[in-house]
Amino acid sequence: MSLKEVVFKNDDVQGKASGSYVYTGKGAGQIDLTAKLENGNARAVWRYMPIVAGIDTQLWLKDALLSGTSPEASLVLKGNLDDFPLMEEKGGAYLIKVKADNVALDY
């Protein structure tokens, strides 16, 4: 499956993504995805955490991120999804960059 350019927007963030996904017949498949995000809401980050981060991480983020925005962020996800989140160790990539403004963290 290929995505040339998918544009999305909701109350938490807006952006665009492109890339490809191939199911190899076993496991989770191969991905090559790049996304650019804008106008992110820090209070919503917990909703977008991968399941492998665990419920404790999600709940901590939900309670700890009190306010803030992200005018821009980027995501690169490339490689075998069975290796997620340690894809870089096997030649893939998992990289998130976030510019954050006025973030309040209750730790």
Side-chain angles (χ1 to χ4, degrees):
M1 171 175 66
S2 292
L3 303 173
K4 186 168 182 173
E5 182 175 89
V6 175
V7 177
F8 54 90
K9 181 178 181 179
N10 64 27
D11 290 340
D12 300 329
V13 69
Q14 66 185 40
K16 54 182 135 183
S18 61
S20 62
Y21 169 80
V22 177
Y23 178 64
T24 60
K26 62 179 182 173
Q30 297 281 332
I31 195 164
D32 186 353
L33 177 71
T34 302
K36 302 287 184 188
L37 310 172
E38 298 176 339
N39 303 322
N41 176 358
R43 294 275 306 139
V45 167
W46 68 275
R47 292 186 191 118
Y48 301 94
M49 294 302 297
I51 292 171
V52 299
I55 189 69
D56 290 339
T57 301
Q58 289 175 321
L59 293 175
W60 183 83
L61 288 168
K62 182 179 181 181
D63 293 337
L65 288 169
L66 303 177
S67 64
T69 60
S70 173
E72 61 184 75
S74 64
L75 164 72
V76 175
L77 183 60
K78 182 176 183 175
N80 185 336
L81 286 169
D82 289 329
D83 298 330
F84 183 83
L86 304 174
M87 301 168 93
E88 292 160 344
E89 295 177 3
K90 300 208 176 162
Y94 176 49
L95 177 64
I96 299 172
K97 294 182 182 179
V98 178
K99 181 178 180 182
D101 289 337
N102 301 311
V103 174
L105 180 67
D106 180 10
Y107 58 96

